[in-house]
Amino acid sequence: MKKKTTSTGSKLEKLGVHLGQADYVVALAGNPNTGKSTVFNAVTGLRQHTGNWPGKTIARAEGGFSYNGKKFRLVDLPGTYSLLSATDDEEVARNFILFGRPDVTVVVIDPMRLERNLNLALQVLQITEKAIVCVNLMDEARAHGLKIDGQGLSHDLGVPVVLAAARQGEGIDQLLAEIDNMAGGRSSCSPHRLNYDIIPSVQESMDELVGALAEAYPGMPHREWVALRLLEGDQQIIEAVANGEIGKLSEDHVATGTISACGN
């Protein structure tokens, strides 16, 4: 049975696994123990469709919600500390953000471990402009006397920042509004990113690699990021480019489709 919230009136409808064809896809990323699953449950209604990621034994959890008349598919990525792909979980999260082309990526962070969590957020911002940072567990932060300047953090990161306590439903309305605006093209961001122009030799090498990647894989997104990983010696990326697997990742991590199976 579909569930509706009362806090957002008729705007939000929790669809669980009964979504059908989605208008937009949202990726949910974050370190372990940031309350990411609680955020997922708050907007989808506690029900998930689970399967495995292509070629992996790692569980893939998805759910859906409708907001302002549009259907959103929410993909809960494995909890990870980095996108540098030292583990299978990191590889799955990175590849979906890179090649699944989600309409919005929400990065959930813990205010009490801000420095460590921002490492992942900054890596996501290096990949995509369509990102929102959700500072969850604000109830615990307040209990420890911590205050977070959401506006200041948003200014520094160049993307929307939402302060939330998902267990109590706090901040969920604002998060949904930010997702809706970003997916619908009504908001734009200028995320904080590393600037390689100040190192001419690196920028020249990147430009050369980007050109070669564009020629070999015309439809591949985020070629600049792939070029950077090649320069840094990422062995998995090097092998994926050499054997052609990189050209298939968009198909393996496609971000469109339906959710129709029964959840658990």
Side-chain angles (χ1 to χ4, degrees), residues 111-176:
M112 291 175 289
R113 296 169 177 81
L114 205 58
E115 183 175 356
R116 184 177 71 181
N117 285 204
L118 283 174
N119 178 53
L120 176 66
L122 290 170
Q123 289 177 19
V124 172
L125 297 186
Q126 197 70 26
I127 294 174
T128 178
E129 295 179 353
K130 297 181 177 181
I132 298 167
V133 171
C134 175
V135 184
N136 192 29
L137 305 176
M138 285 301 301
D139 52 333
E140 295 184 16
R142 288 191 293 267
H144 286 81
L146 297 178
K147 295 182 179 180
I148 302 296
D149 181 1
Q151 290 185 340
L153 188 58
S154 177
H155 178 269
D156 290 341
L157 295 177
V159 298
V161 171
V162 177
L163 305 183
R167 281 177 296 192
Q168 287 77 34
E170 178 185 335
I172 297 301
D173 292 1
Q174 183 188 352
L175 178 61
L176 290 168

Side-chain angles (χ1 to χ4, degrees), residues 28-243:
L28 193 62
N31 287 189
N33 304 314
T34 57
K36 184 165 59 68
S37 295
T38 308
V39 174
F40 181 98
N41 294 338
V43 298
T44 63
L46 304 177
R47 299 194 65 188
Q48 298 179 347
H49 169 54
T50 58
N52 287 339
W53 289 90
K56 304 290 183 182
T57 57
I58 298 169
R60 174 170 175 155
E62 303 179 6
F65 64 94
S66 175
Y67 186 83
N68 278 347
K70 295 293 184 180
K71 291 184 177 181
F72 293 79
R73 182 157 69 97
L74 187 61
V75 180
D76 191 5
L77 300 177
T80 180
Y81 294 104
S82 169
L83 297 182
L84 299 184
S85 192
T87 68
D88 284 350
D89 285 355
E90 292 169 2
E91 182 183 1
V92 162
R94 180 193 72 183
N95 285 348
F96 187 79
I97 296 171
L98 274 170
F99 304 110
R101 307 190 192 196
D103 297 287
V104 180
T105 299
V106 176
V107 185
V108 181
I109 64 177
D110 180 348
M112 291 175 289
R113 296 169 177 81
L114 205 58
E115 183 175 356
R116 184 177 71 181
N117 285 204
L118 283 174
N119 178 53
L120 176 66
L122 290 170
Q123 289 177 19
V124 172
L125 297 186
Q126 197 70 26
I127 294 174
T128 178
E129 295 179 353
K130 297 181 177 181
I132 298 167
V133 171
C134 175
V135 184
N136 192 29
L137 305 176
M138 285 301 301
D139 52 333
E140 295 184 16
R142 288 191 293 267
H144 286 81
L146 297 178
K147 295 182 179 180
I148 302 296
D149 181 1
Q151 290 185 340
L153 188 58
S154 177
H155 178 269
D156 290 341
L157 295 177
V159 298
V161 171
V162 177
L163 305 183
R167 281 177 296 192
Q168 287 77 34
E170 178 185 335
I172 297 301
D173 292 1
Q174 183 188 352
L175 178 61
L176 290 168
E178 295 287 3
I179 291 172
D180 184 45
N181 286 331
M182 187 168 291
R186 293 180 296 277
S187 65
S188 58
C189 304
S190 299
H192 174 81
R193 289 180 174 172
L194 297 176
N195 182 6
Y196 298 100
D197 292 341
I198 60 174
I199 312 175
S201 59
V202 173
Q203 189 62 55
E204 289 172 8
S205 297
M206 284 187 63
D207 292 342
E208 183 177 347
L209 283 171
V210 167
L213 289 168
E215 183 176 349
Y217 307 104
M220 186 180 73
H222 304 297
R223 290 187 287 267
E224 293 82 2
W225 196 89
V226 175
L228 178 61
R229 299 307 303 151
L230 289 172
L231 288 176
E232 292 180 346
D234 186 317
Q235 195 59 40
Q236 289 182 327
I237 292 293
I238 291 172
E239 292 175 1
V241 170
N243 62 25

